[in-house]
Amino acid sequence: MTSMPQTDSATSDSATSSSPRTPRPWLVVLTACAAQFLVVLDVSVVNVALPSMRTDLGLSAFGLQWVLSAYSIAFAGFMLLGGRAADLYGRKAIFLLGLGLFTAASVVGGIAPEGQYLIGARAVQGLGAALLSPATLTLVTGAVAAGAARTRAIGTWTAVGAAGGAAGGFVGGLLVDLLSWRWVLLINVPIGVLVLAAALLWLREGPTGTGSRHLDLPGAVLVTGGLATLAYGIVQTEEAGWTDPATLLTLLGGLVLLAVFVAVEARTAAPLMPLKIFRNRAVSAANVSILLCGSSSFGMWYFMTVYAQNVLGYTPIQAGLALVPSSLSVILGSKLAPRLMPALGARNVAVTGALIGAAGFAWQSTLTVDGTFLGTILGPGVVMMMGLGLATTPLATLATSHAGPGDAGLVSGLVNTSRTMGGALGLSVLSTVAAAVATPTSSYVAFEDGPDPSFLASQAYLVPGYAMAFRVSAGILVAASVLMLAWLPKDAKRAG
C-alpha cells in the first residue's frame, strides 16, 4: 500500500474548489456557529444549577455527577459516528437531525419531574450534539472557498465554540438567579427552533461520499463503545480515583475496544474511519495538538470558577462576569490568527499561541488565598485564553484543509473528538493533581446565598492544588509547542 506523502501536498483544495458554494456563505457560517455555541455551552452551563437540581429533584451526589457525565459521555462517544454519518448521508440532513434531537431533549430535561428523566434527557442531548457538532465544522468549510476566507470562517467557528464554553457559568448563574434551574435547559428550545428555521432556509446539501452509502456497522459499534467507555472511565476517576480497580478495568476496556476498532478498520472494504487519513502529517499532528490544548483550556474554566467561588467568595454570577474578559480574549485570539497565518504560517502561529498560553498558565499558578481580580483572574486569564485562541484556529484549519471531500465530516468529527476527549482527560488528570497536593480540611458545600466566611477560610487548603494544576497545564502547552515544531508540516502557510 502506498502511503500518503508527509507534507502539505495532500490537500483537498483542488477537490473542494469545484464544490458548489452557497451564494450567501456567511449565513451558513452564522447558522453553523449558533448551533456550535449551543453544543459547547451545554457542556458547562448546568454546573451552577446543580445545587438547585439536587434540592428540587432530590438527586444524590452520584445522580448530580451523572447530570454532567451523561452529556459528556454520549457527546464524546458518538462524535466520530456523527462525522461519518454527515459524509455518507449529507451534512444538512445530519445537522437537522442532531439539532432536532438536541432541542427535543432540552424540552424533556427542562420539564423533568424526576432525576432519571433529567439524566436521560442529558444523554440524548449529548447524542444530538455528537451528530450536530461535526456537521457544523463541515458546513463551514464547505460553504467558504479554500484560502483566507475559509480560515477566517474557521476562526469564527473556533471563537464561538470557545465563547460557548466560557459563557456557561455566567449564563447558567443568570438563569438560575432570575428564573429557575429549568431554564438552563429550556433556553435551548427557542434558540434551537430559530437555528432549525435558519438551517432549512439557508443550508444547502453538499456532496456526500463518492462510494457506497453503507455504514460500517461493526466499526461504528466498536468506536462508539470504545470512546464512550473511555469517557466513562475518565469521568469516574473524579469519584473513584485513577488506581481504583473498576476505573482501571473501564479505561482498559475502552482502549481494548478502540484497538479492536483499528484492527477491524484496517481490514474493512468501506471503513467508518479510513486509517489512511492518519498518514497525513497535518491531520495527525493537528489532532494530537488540539487534544493537548483542549486538556488545558477545559481545566482552566473549571479551576478559575471554583477558585473564584470557593476561595475569593464570588457568587456564581460574579464568577461568570469575572471570566467575561477571558472569553473575549479567546475570541480575539481566534479572530487574530487568520490575519497572522498568511505571513507567519499556520504552524508558527499555533506554536506562538501555545507558548503565550503557557505563559498565562504559569502566571496563573502564582494565585494566592487573598488574590485580586486584576492579578489573579483578569491578567492571567486574558493571556491564557488569547494564546489558546491563537493556537486552536490554525490547528483546526490544518486538519480540515487536508481532508478529501468524502472525509470532511469524519475529520471534523475527529477534531471535535480530540478537543472533547482532551478536555475530559485533562480535567480528570488536573483534578487528581490538585487533590493530591491539597490537604483537605472540609468538603465542598454549596450555599444558595453565597458562601459563609468561615467556609471560605476553610477552603484555603485548595489554593496549592489549584496552583499545581496551572503549572502542569503550562507544561502541557510547552510540550504541545515542541510537538508542533517537530511534527506539523513546515510549509503550512497556504493553509491560511
Side-chain angles (χ1 to χ4, degrees):
M1 182 182 294
T2 304
S3 63
M4 189 173 289
Q6 305 294 303
T7 68
D8 270 55
S9 59
T11 68
S12 64
D13 292 352
S14 60
T16 58
S17 61
S18 60
S19 301
R21 303 286 171 191
T22 175
R24 296 179 178 179
W26 287 100
L27 292 178
V28 175
V29 173
L30 176 64
T31 303
C33 286
Q36 179 69 1
F37 181 85
L38 276 180
V39 164
V40 181
L41 180 74
D42 267 61
V43 174
S44 59
V45 73
V46 300
N47 287 347
V48 297
L50 292 177
S52 299
M53 291 176 177
R54 180 186 58 199
T55 302
D56 196 15
L57 300 179
L59 286 165
S60 65
F62 183 74
L64 282 180
Q65 180 187 359
W66 273 100
V67 172
L68 301 176
S69 302
Y71 184 87
S72 59
I73 290 171
F75 189 22
F78 286 92
M79 192 91 71
L80 285 181
L81 180 59
R84 179 47 94 195
D87 289 330
L88 296 179
Y89 304 114
R91 59 194 66 160
K92 178 179 178 179
I94 298 301
F95 180 95
L96 293 173
L97 174 62
L99 185 55
L101 277 175
F102 183 88
T103 305
S106 297
V107 175
V108 175
I111 63 175
E114 297 178 9
Q116 65 250 34
Y117 289 93
L118 175 60
I119 293 170
R122 289 286 287 168
V124 178
Q125 269 192 317
L127 172 60
L131 295 173
L132 179 60
S133 190
T136 63
L137 183 53
T138 310
L139 284 163
V140 167
T141 57
V144 184
R150 180 183 291 177
T151 303
R152 288 194 299 272
I154 293 174
T156 301
W157 178 87
T158 303
V160 168
F170 172 65
V171 172
L174 194 65
L175 291 171
V176 171
D177 240 26
L178 298 180
L179 298 169
S180 79
W181 70 263
R182 296 184 181 277
W183 279 95
V184 169
L185 298 172
L186 292 176
I187 193 66
N188 295 327
V189 179
I191 299 174
V193 170
L194 286 175
V195 177
L196 276 170
L200 288 169
L201 286 173
W202 296 335
L203 299 188
R204 298 290 179 269
E205 191 60 86
T208 56
T210 56
S212 169
R213 294 180 65 172
H214 171 71
L215 182 65
D216 171 23
L217 188 59
V221 171
L222 286 167
V223 73
T224 301
L227 287 172
T229 303
L230 194 61
Y232 175 77
I234 291 171
V235 166
Q236 288 298 101
T237 60
E238 296 184 37
E239 181 74 20
W242 287 90
T243 58
D244 184 82
T247 298
L248 293 174
L249 284 174
T250 303
L251 293 172
L252 180 61
L255 292 174
V256 168
L257 285 172
L258 292 177
V260 175
F261 166 71
V262 171
V264 168
E265 296 304 277
R267 294 166 174 79
T268 301
L272 177 76
M273 185 175 70
L275 299 180
K276 65 182 181 180
I277 67 171
F278 292 107
R279 299 192 194 113
N280 188 296
R281 185 172 167 182
V283 172
S284 298
N287 274 283
V288 173
S289 301
I290 287 169
L291 185 145
L292 293 174
C293 290
S295 70
S296 297
S297 62
F298 278 53
M300 178 270 181
W301 296 122
Y302 171 77
F303 286 110
M304 288 297 291
T305 301
V306 295
Y307 168 70
Q309 293 184 65
N310 287 359
V311 179
L312 300 185
Y314 288 21
T315 66
I317 291 181
Q318 289 173 333
L321 283 172
L323 294 177
V324 166
S326 302
S327 307
L328 296 176
S329 71
V330 75
I331 294 173
L332 180 60
S334 300
K335 298 299 290 180
L336 182 60
R339 298 179 181 275
L340 299 176
M341 286 163 60
L344 302 178
R347 185 186 72 158
N348 292 336
V349 173
V351 170
T352 301
L355 291 175
I356 291 173
F361 277 95
W363 182 3
Q364 187 65 73
S365 71
T366 64
L367 80 176
T368 60
V369 175
D370 56 350
T372 64
F373 170 69
L374 291 177
T376 55
I377 293 183
L378 178 64
V382 167
V383 175
M384 281 188 288
M385 299 318 293
M386 172 71 78
L388 288 171
L390 280 171
T392 305
T393 297
L395 292 172
T397 301
L398 282 169
T400 55
S401 66
H402 289 71
D407 294 327
L410 174 63
V411 173
S412 298
L414 192 60
V415 167
N416 280 284
T417 300
S418 297
R419 184 166 61 174
T420 303
M421 292 299 289
L425 179 61
L427 183 55
S428 294
V429 170
L430 293 173
S431 297
T432 302
V433 168
V437 173
T439 304
T441 58
S442 65
S443 58
Y444 175 79
V445 180
F447 295 88
E448 293 290 344
D449 298 320
D452 185 274
S454 62
F455 170 75
L456 293 177
S458 73
Q459 300 303 291
Y461 78 93
L462 295 169
V463 173
Y466 296 160
M468 181 57 69
F470 285 115
R471 289 190 199 101
V472 172
S473 293
I476 290 172
L477 288 177
V478 170
S481 66
V482 173
L483 179 145
M484 293 177 206
L485 280 172
W487 196 1
L488 283 173
K490 294 181 180 180
D491 182 23
K493 290 185 179 181
R494 64 180 182 168

